[in-house]
């Protein structure tokens, strides 16, 4: 309730630290609205079992993404959390800039700057993507949700395009097995 009372730009907080027990998603809408432009948002998620693929359907209902069990599940968890933050921020013409991402024991914690800018929000699809994981050798392939290219009118203008895909054949190029599909996740640098 307190954060919703500080949505106006003059009333926003410079730093918000969300550290709930479990998933932070019930608080993300108010947090991304009540942090100042360029302000720091710190978010902790303690439900690593969900984020690491033990319950993909629960991960989808909480974070809007399907988690995969991978050897890199902790990085995957961070990328799901960042995707979730970006998605919530985009609803209000805002976007995130990751500063630090940590996965420690049973929780993950991210530190992001929140900025305002509808034009930059349009680039979000190029920072998010689905992941194909081989069911045999566990190799990964990424399919961005969108891509950016320069417009024919000049280098200053960006064109937002749909990607073509999928980025791989029906069978894995290494072992011939099929794939599980997860995400969307944050595919830009952490």
């Amino acid at each position: 309730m307190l954060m919703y009372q500080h949505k106006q730009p003059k009333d926003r907080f410079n730093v918000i630290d969300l550290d709930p027990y479990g998933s932070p998603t019930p608080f993300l809408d108010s947090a991304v609205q009540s942090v100042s432009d360029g302000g720091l948002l710190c978010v902790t998620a303690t439900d690593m079992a969900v984020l690491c693929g033990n319950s993909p359907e629960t991960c989808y209902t909480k974070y809007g993404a399907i988690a995969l069990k991978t050897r890199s599940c902790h990085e995957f968890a961070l990328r799901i959390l960042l995707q979730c933050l970006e998605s919530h921020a985009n609803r209000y013409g805002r976007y995130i800039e990751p500063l630090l991402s940590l996965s420690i024991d049973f929780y993950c914690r991210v530190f992001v700057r929140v900025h305002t800018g509808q034009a930059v929000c349009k680039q979000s699809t190029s920072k998010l993507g689905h992941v194909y994981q081989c069911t045999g050798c566990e190799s990964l392939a990424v399919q961005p949700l969108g891509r950016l290219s320069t417009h024919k009118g000049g280098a200053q203008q960006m064109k937002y395009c749909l990607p073509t895909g999928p980025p791989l054949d029906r069978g894995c190029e290494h072992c011939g097995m099929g794939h599980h599909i997860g995400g969307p996740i944050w595919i830009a640098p952490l």
Side-chain angles (χ1 to χ4, degrees), residues 128-186:
L128 306 175
H130 288 284
V131 177
Y132 292 80
Q133 178 192 25
C134 174
T135 58
C137 67
E138 294 190 20
S139 65
L140 301 173
V142 176
Q143 172 69 53
L145 295 181
R147 62 183 180 88
L148 299 175
S149 63
T150 54
H151 197 272
K152 293 177 185 174
Q156 297 294 348
Q157 296 178 333
M158 296 302 292
K159 183 177 179 183
Y160 305 98
C161 308
L162 293 174
T164 57
L168 36 76
D169 291 327
R170 189 169 182 87
C172 174
E173 67 180 329
H174 306 290
C175 69
M177 298 292 286
H179 297 90
H180 289 300
I181 303 172
I185 65 168
W186 179 268

Side-chain angles (χ1 to χ4, degrees), residues 91-109:
R91 295 173 193 158
Y92 306 101
R94 308 191 87 189
Y95 62 96
I96 65 165
E97 172 194 356
L99 301 174
L100 180 64
S101 302
L102 305 167
S103 175
I104 304 166
D105 297 330
F106 62 92
Y107 69 93
C108 60
R109 185 155 170 81

Side-chain angles (χ1 to χ4, degrees), residues 7 21 25 30 48 62 65 94 99 123 129 136-137 150 176 182-183 188:
K7 294 189 310 186
Y21 178 77
T25 55
S30 58
M48 284 297 278
K62 289 184 177 185
R94 308 191 87 189
L99 301 174
Q123 297 175 13
C137 67
T150 54

Side-chain angles (χ1 to χ4, degrees), residues 23-73:
S23 173
T25 55
F27 310 104
L28 294 182
D29 263 347
S30 58
V32 297
Q33 291 180 75
S34 58
V35 69
S36 62
D37 193 21
L40 182 64
L41 179 58
C42 313
V43 180
T44 302
T46 60
D47 54 346
M48 284 297 278
V50 170
L51 286 166
C52 285
N54 287 344
S55 183
E57 66 285 350
T58 303
C59 188
Y60 182 77
T61 60
K62 289 184 177 185
Y63 296 93
I66 299 292
L68 297 173
K69 282 189 178 183
T70 69
R71 291 184 201 123
S72 57
C73 66

